Amino acid sequence: MEKKRIATLTLDDGRNIELPILSGTLGPDVVDLRGINKLGIFTYDPAFFSTASCSSEITFIDGDAGLLYYRGYPIEQLAENSDFLEVSYLLLNGELPNASQKEQFDAKVKEHTMVHDQLARFYNGFRRDAHPMAVMVGVVGALSAFYHDSLDINNPEHRAISAMRLIAKVPTIAAMAYKYNTGFPFMYPKNKFSYVENFMYMMFGTPAEDYIPNPVLVDALERIFILHADHEQNASTSTVRLAGSSGANPFACIASGIAALWGPAHGGANEAALNMLEEIGDVSRVKEYVQGVKDKKYRLIGFGHRVYKNMDPRASVMRQTCHEVLKELKLENNKLFGLAMELERVALNDPYFIERKLYPNVDFYSGIVLRALGIPTNMFTVIFAVGRTIGWISQWIEMVADAEQKIGRPRQLYRGAVRRDYVPVNKR
Ligand code: CMC
């Protein structure tokens, strides 16, 4: 029998407690702190940098080695060989589908791509210039009001149908946000297209013209969705889990994830990277701009990562895609893209970046690809949300089905005023 491993915590007053050490299949061991409150103390770990908030079987990251696996499969292999719906099946069910499972899954998603006609009326309540992420938070949350028949989170069939609805409808809702913003009519989904083709059709098609998807561009967006499909317990996924831990319905939970993703420190980085390229403006300013970075006046957006201290494996895939897209669209000599490639070249060869292991991250390349695809900057985070919806819902389902799951309730280190008595206003 395997020996039980323990860690001993001793307080300065001599009291101590033995805590089990748990091992996962990959990654560092964790100390199980659940018994610690027997000593009347808590741990202090703002932003959970040292805390595993759950156990999960979905995604594994090793930032030092630059590894990202979905259900054990390296992201590079999935990006190269798979498609987004197959990756969605994998994340949701734990295994790759066989041919008939894949066919059934794809068909099921297509069954749910339309939204209730009443839902389309929500858009009229928004200003035309509303940020599409504001629309996404509102409209995805509003889905809760349409599916009363399937909101019993303890029923596995209800959870499964809600997952299908979310995967299928979020692209439709996202494309409608874009159309509303630009004043073009909404495009109903067309089931002759693949999932990604359909999204591009709803974004860029009009009733006046036939839409012919470009396979290189479809492939690029397919990869962006695959690369963003899940990323372990990041801020938005943790938000989905925390909201879900109270028993909230999946549509409300995913809306909370979209809200968390909206922040510039999370989903907004590729938008910020593009803004930086526009601020630099011309390839002749790259050297001067990089010097400003080295003088610590500002940071190079799209470089470095909190977890990956090696090349982010998603960035390697996106880099190749970026070059393919620029070639296909004959944009290699475009001013902005030329500038981006020069910035990449300078940064990859400069000792400041090499010594600090600051590689271009996935957002640097995905921003360039999305811009080349004609997607406006304010839709970048929306695209991220479309890809991440499968990760959020897979993590939500895992959490709800987990026997150890309880309502999330972090504690605090209170540093406010000690007890004091109320003083009437005329005596203050
Ligand atoms: N440009 C210039 N210098 C940098 C950068 C950068 N982008 N990132 C880190 N550094 C320097 C930093 O100044 C420090 O230098 P020194 O040792 O001389 O003080 C050193 O590198 C280590 O920095 P750090 O702050 O300890 O690194 P971190 O791991 O805490 O920061 C980061 C990670 C992502 C916040 C940071 O790299 C950054 O601000 N990058 C730019 C913003 C960006 O692209 N964000 C998107 C990340 S991907 C998002 C996602 O996956 O969802």
Side-chain angles (χ1 to χ4, degrees):
M1 210 172 84
E2 206 180 313
K3 193 167 167 268
K4 217 172 138 192
R5 296 168 62 214
I6 51 156
T8 306
L9 176 74
T10 306
L11 301 189
D12 54 358
D13 61 9
R15 289 182 301 150
N16 64 51
I17 187 163
E18 289 189 344
L19 302 161
I21 299 175
L22 310 178
S23 295
T25 44
L26 291 170
D29 292 338
V30 302
V31 180
D32 181 349
L33 292 175
R34 281 174 293 183
I36 206 170
N37 52 14
K38 287 194 197 116
L39 294 180
I41 58 169
F42 304 120
T43 54
Y44 183 59
D45 183 23
F48 308 119
F49 273 20
S50 307
T51 297
S53 61
C54 62
S55 76
S56 179
E57 297 178 5
I58 302 176
T59 293
F60 173 75
I61 301 173
D62 181 336
D64 291 327
L67 305 176
L68 169 60
Y69 301 161
Y70 293 163
R71 301 280 190 183
Y73 293 100
I75 191 70
E76 302 86 335
Q77 290 187 21
L78 294 170
E80 181 68 31
N81 303 305
S82 191
D83 64 47
F84 179 68
L85 282 188
E86 186 174 72
V87 169
S88 298
Y89 184 101
L90 172 70
L91 287 169
L92 210 47
N93 300 298
E95 297 296 336
L96 285 167
N98 62 29
S100 89
Q101 287 166 329
K102 177 159 170 40
E103 201 179 309
Q104 278 175 34
F105 185 77
D106 291 7
K108 195 113 198 121
V109 171
K110 283 186 180 173
E111 251 174 50
H112 292 282
T113 47
M114 284 195 289
V115 294
H116 194 293
D117 216 34
Q118 206 66 20
L119 197 87
R121 303 202 185 182
F122 276 74
Y123 289 78
N124 290 332
F126 288 97
R127 284 169 51 135
R128 286 274 174 188
D129 62 354
H131 195 290
M133 282 298 276
V135 177
M136 292 293 287
V137 174
V139 179
V140 173
L143 286 173
S144 332
F146 288 81
Y147 301 107
H148 298 292
D149 61 331
S150 54
L151 289 184
D152 176 3
I153 65 160
N154 297 313
N155 181 330
E157 280 168 24
H158 285 202
R159 297 198 293 263
I161 182 76
S162 296
M164 296 310 283
R165 284 181 170 140
L166 277 156
I167 304 162
K169 291 181 202 306
V170 165
T172 311
I173 292 170
M176 287 166 80
Y178 171 63
K179 289 294 194 197
Y180 184 73
N181 210 233
T182 48
F184 281 94
F186 295 148
M187 297 298 284
Y188 288 117
K190 253 204 193 336
N191 287 350
K192 70 171 182 179
F193 289 132
S194 74
Y195 186 86
V196 176
E197 285 171 347
N198 189 38
F199 178 63
M200 293 181 89
Y201 162 74
M202 291 188 290
M203 284 282 293
F204 301 120
T206 69
E209 302 267 347
D210 283 341
Y211 182 77
I212 302 164
N214 173 328
V216 176
L217 308 188
V218 169
D219 209 36
L221 195 55
E222 190 103 47
R223 284 188 183 176
I224 289 186
F225 286 158
I226 292 174
L227 298 182
H228 287 90
D230 197 44
H231 211 226
E232 211 224 57
Q233 307 309 320
N234 55 82
S236 58
T237 303
S238 298
T239 302
V240 170
R241 279 185 176 259
L242 195 54
S245 76
S246 73
N249 75 70
F251 304 106
C253 295
I254 302 305
S256 74
I258 296 173
L261 185 73
W262 194 356
H266 193 0
N270 50 12
E271 188 172 336
L274 239 280
N275 291 340
M276 177 195 70
L277 293 177
E278 269 161 1
E279 189 195 322
I280 300 172
D282 192 85
V283 73
S284 62
R285 288 201 55 227
V286 166
K287 223 169 153 191
E288 168 200 338
Y289 196 85
V290 168
Q291 191 54 49
V293 171
K294 296 199 299 196
D295 295 341
K296 308 263 186 211
K297 289 187 192 150
Y298 38 76
R299 284 190 171 200
L300 206 52
I301 308 297
F303 285 73
H305 197 277
R306 176 99 343 123
V307 178
Y308 296 109
K309 299 302 173 196
N310 206 316
M311 187 81 174
D312 172 348
R314 302 170 303 170
S316 311
V317 175
M318 226 351 72
R319 180 175 194 271
Q320 189 195 334
T321 302
C322 179
H323 287 278
E324 283 165 15
V325 167
L326 295 184
K327 188 162 171 239
E328 170 70 15
L329 296 174
K330 304 193 175 33
L331 284 172
E332 290 143 307
N333 298 322
N334 170 286
K335 196 172 166 194
L336 190 80
F337 301 125
L339 190 161
M341 293 303 105
E342 176 60 8
L343 195 62
E344 178 204 46
R345 194 191 61 76
V346 170
L348 285 177
N349 291 295
D350 190 304
Y352 175 95
F353 297 93
I354 295 168
E355 281 159 18
R356 290 172 178 76
K357 300 189 173 173
L358 294 172
Y359 299 94
N361 56 47
V362 65
D363 292 306
F364 179 72
Y365 296 110
S366 68
I368 300 169
V369 172
L370 291 174
R371 168 60 63 91
L373 294 183
I375 291 171
T377 319
N378 67 359
M379 282 292 291
F380 285 9
T381 317
V382 175
I383 301 289
F384 191 157
V386 173
R388 184 55 59 86
T389 296
I390 181 58
W392 290 327
I393 196 68
S394 303
Q395 299 264 356
W396 176 84
I397 288 178
E398 182 178 63
M399 181 207 63
V400 174
D402 182 350
E404 288 190 341
Q405 189 269 321
K406 291 189 173 69
I407 183 167
R409 182 60 172 87
R411 305 303 296 239
Q412 63 171 9
L413 171 62
Y414 177 69
R415 283 185 168 138
V418 296
R419 186 195 180 286
R420 49 188 171 162
D421 289 321
Y422 179 81
V423 180
V425 69
N426 59 353
K427 301 219 167 114
R428 278 177 234 154

